Amino acid sequence: MKPPVAPGARAVLGHVRPLLKDLPGLLASCAGAGPVQRLRLGPRDLYLLTEPEPVRQALALEGDALCRVYEGGPGRLFGEALLGTAGPAHRARRRMLQPAFRHELMACHADVIGPVAARLAANWSPGRPVDMVHESVACAAEAMWCVLTGVRPARMPVSDPARRILDVDRGAAEETGLFSRAPAPVRRRHRCAAALLRRMLVHAIDTLPPPGGAPAGLLGVLAQVRDRTTRERLSRRQVLDQALEMLVAGAVATGMILAWACHELGRHPYVEHRLQEETDEVLGGRPARHEDLARLPYAGRVVTEVLRLAAPPLVGRRALRELDLAGYRVPQGADVAFCPHALHRHPDLYPDPLRFDPDRWLPGRARTLPRGAFLPFGAGDHQCIGSSLGTAHATLALCTIAGAWRLRPVPEHRIRCVRSNVLRPDALPMTAEPRGPVGRLGAFGNVSPGGCSE
């Protein structure tokens, strides 16, 4: 039996127009409309999984009957990085990179974000709007640069790094999938931004200390990891590709979590007040550190609720053979997509799903969710390898900013999302209001994190 067609289809083109104009709105309309639905994209169908049961079935088949949808876009910009591999090559590369994401390293790397966020916020002017998309990506990019190089504090040696990183992210999305024909000048801008970031990383790789010592940053770790079977190291080009992917993906994913969190706090003063009470008690006006996370449970729930509502729109796979998912037939060669955006808004899983409610993540309530109901970082073999670091960075940056500022959305701005692998708005303008004397905010800029030995 074929799955039903998702709501909003039009004659001939099906869902093409809403897919291009308002993907989040289209996917939100699919929540609760059935476990498997079809998006009609001209002559092709995309099979959409919007409930936990078919998602669980699909994850069990991944690698055997489902493979990653990969049509060259990420590979053009990221080369041989993790995002551009699939199947056995992806699994081998992921195992090879796992030592770079050990828990003890992540705890150390998380400490860089607080001082970076504090210094960034110290440059804001009371009453003047700031674009939280740009500011959040700039903050996350500088922190990721510190993580890669091991130099703290360290500013990226390029002008306006956030704009260039957002260009690369947009390019990776524009050059992937059925609608991948961006205008030539736009593609050139994306590739020029990637080339500039590559030159910056080449210089950082060239200045790495000689092998044998303890690496200070992820670049050094990448240069030393070995394949478990062949004992081979990554080539210089592979280290560069992987570093570029980590820089761009880490900055954009963490930046979007932070930007959406600031937006939601501005829309929900009660939530903001509770968060500020917690941060004032724990931080006392200083930047947040990794050791503070255990004493910031409400902040953790705020970020988790942001991850629910700002989940990636689609996670694509392709059927290698005919499948049966939740009683529906999926033909061989069909495009299949997990839909975290619709899954996280399913009314049977999340009562009053559009309400921003951090307390739905209290332990007693969260335990009732079935497996596969919460997929903020993708799923299966291709789940984001840096998810724990990204979540920690976003939480610590949010608490640092909330300790000094209130941010209010600009009322007349209409949010529009652009193509990306994450839910990314074109802009989130917010007005900054200091919580105390403006003079004390600059003190954050003088705080620098301590060193880290491995």
Side-chain angles (χ1 to χ4, degrees):
M1 180 173 62
K2 267 193 170 185
V5 175
R10 303 196 179 177
V12 184
L13 292 180
H15 295 92
V16 170
R17 183 176 175 81
L19 181 76
L20 295 176
K21 296 294 184 183
D22 184 20
L23 177 59
L26 170 64
L27 298 179
S29 71
C30 297
V36 184
Q37 301 165 53
R38 280 184 296 142
L39 290 182
R40 292 180 48 238
L41 309 178
R44 289 186 66 89
D45 283 344
L46 173 68
Y47 290 75
L48 200 63
L49 313 183
T50 61
E51 293 188 6
E53 183 55 34
V55 169
R56 281 200 299 269
Q57 292 179 18
L59 290 179
L61 295 168
E62 189 167 31
D64 172 44
L66 283 172
C67 71
R68 186 174 191 168
V69 176
Y70 173 59
E71 299 184 20
R76 295 190 188 105
L77 295 176
F78 297 132
E80 297 183 56
L82 198 60
L83 188 62
T85 59
H90 176 86
R91 288 192 290 273
R93 179 63 57 81
R94 188 181 177 98
R95 286 195 302 268
M96 193 174 182
L97 295 176
Q98 207 65 55
F101 293 88
R102 297 197 309 271
H103 175 73
E104 58 270 25
L105 295 187
M106 293 303 99
C108 174
H109 293 323
D111 279 343
V112 304
I113 190 78
V116 170
R119 186 171 66 245
L120 180 91
N123 294 324
W124 296 343
S125 298
R128 292 188 61 185
V130 293
D131 177 11
M132 284 309 297
V133 169
H134 183 278
E135 297 293 284
S136 297
V137 171
C139 175
E142 188 170 327
M144 198 63 206
W145 180 250
C146 294
V147 168
L148 285 167
T149 62
V151 180
R152 307 172 185 181
R155 300 197 180 193
M156 293 180 66
V158 62
S159 62
D160 199 1
R163 177 175 63 83
R164 301 175 194 279
I165 283 173
L166 289 170
D167 277 346
V168 177
D169 172 68
R170 182 70 180 268
E174 291 284 3
E175 297 191 22
T176 304
L178 297 173
F179 306 98
S180 58
R181 295 296 177 262
V186 175
R187 293 201 301 273
R188 280 197 298 271
R189 188 179 75 240
H190 298 160
R191 292 171 186 176
C192 285
L196 182 63
L197 295 179
R198 279 183 179 276
R199 289 196 295 271
M200 181 185 70
L201 287 164
V202 164
H203 177 73
I205 292 172
D206 287 341
T207 56
L208 285 173
L218 281 185
L219 279 176
V221 177
L222 292 176
Q224 295 188 22
V225 294
R226 290 179 181 270
D227 184 276
R228 291 182 183 178
T229 304
T230 66
R231 305 305 297 166
E232 292 181 356
R233 298 187 189 272
L234 294 175
S235 68
R236 177 187 170 85
R237 177 58 185 264
Q238 289 170 335
V239 170
L240 176 59
D241 290 343
Q242 192 59 56
L244 178 63
E245 181 189 286
M246 287 178 175
L247 177 62
V248 173
V252 173
T254 302
M256 290 307 98
I257 299 170
L258 177 59
W260 284 117
C262 291
H263 177 74
E264 294 294 351
L265 290 184
R267 294 176 60 239
H268 300 88
Y270 172 70
V271 175
E272 179 188 56
H273 178 69
R274 286 185 63 184
L275 179 70
Q276 288 171 345
E277 283 188 328
E278 183 176 81
T279 56
D280 290 348
E281 179 181 348
V282 174
L283 304 181
R286 62 169 171 81
R289 297 189 291 263
H290 183 267
E291 65 193 40
D292 299 319
L293 285 173
R295 297 192 295 150
L296 295 166
Y298 190 71
R301 296 201 298 274
V302 167
V303 169
T304 304
E305 182 70 343
V306 169
L307 290 170
R308 180 182 74 85
L309 288 173
L314 294 172
V315 181
R317 301 289 187 264
R318 182 156 292 152
L320 300 176
R321 56 178 170 80
E322 184 175 306
L323 305 176
D324 183 287
L325 295 176
Y328 293 103
R329 174 183 167 274
V330 177
Q332 180 180 356
D335 291 324
V336 180
F338 311 117
C339 184
H341 196 82
L343 185 69
H344 293 181
R345 286 166 169 74
H346 198 293
D348 293 342
L349 300 172
Y350 301 96
D352 197 3
L354 299 184
R355 184 164 67 95
F356 188 77
D357 178 17
D359 283 340
R360 72 171 77 240
W361 299 104
L362 286 167
R365 295 175 62 181
R367 274 196 294 267
T368 62
L369 284 175
R371 184 181 168 222
F374 187 59
L375 302 172
F377 295 104
D381 290 343
H382 295 274
Q383 183 173 344
C384 176
I385 195 171
S387 58
S388 60
L389 179 61
T391 303
H393 270 187
T395 306
L396 297 174
L398 179 66
C399 293
T400 299
I401 292 171
W405 293 92
R406 297 184 184 91
L407 293 164
R408 296 289 177 262
V410 173
E412 62 272 17
H413 178 73
R414 181 184 175 188
I415 297 175
R416 295 179 177 86
C417 289
V418 301
R419 290 195 66 187
S420 175
N421 291 319
V422 299
L423 190 66
R424 177 185 148 191
D426 57 349
L428 280 178
M430 304 189 75
T431 303
E433 301 173 358
R435 293 185 58 205
V438 178
R440 79 177 179 91
L441 302 177
F444 272 173
N446 298 322
V447 181
S448 62
C452 174
S453 59
E454 299 180 18

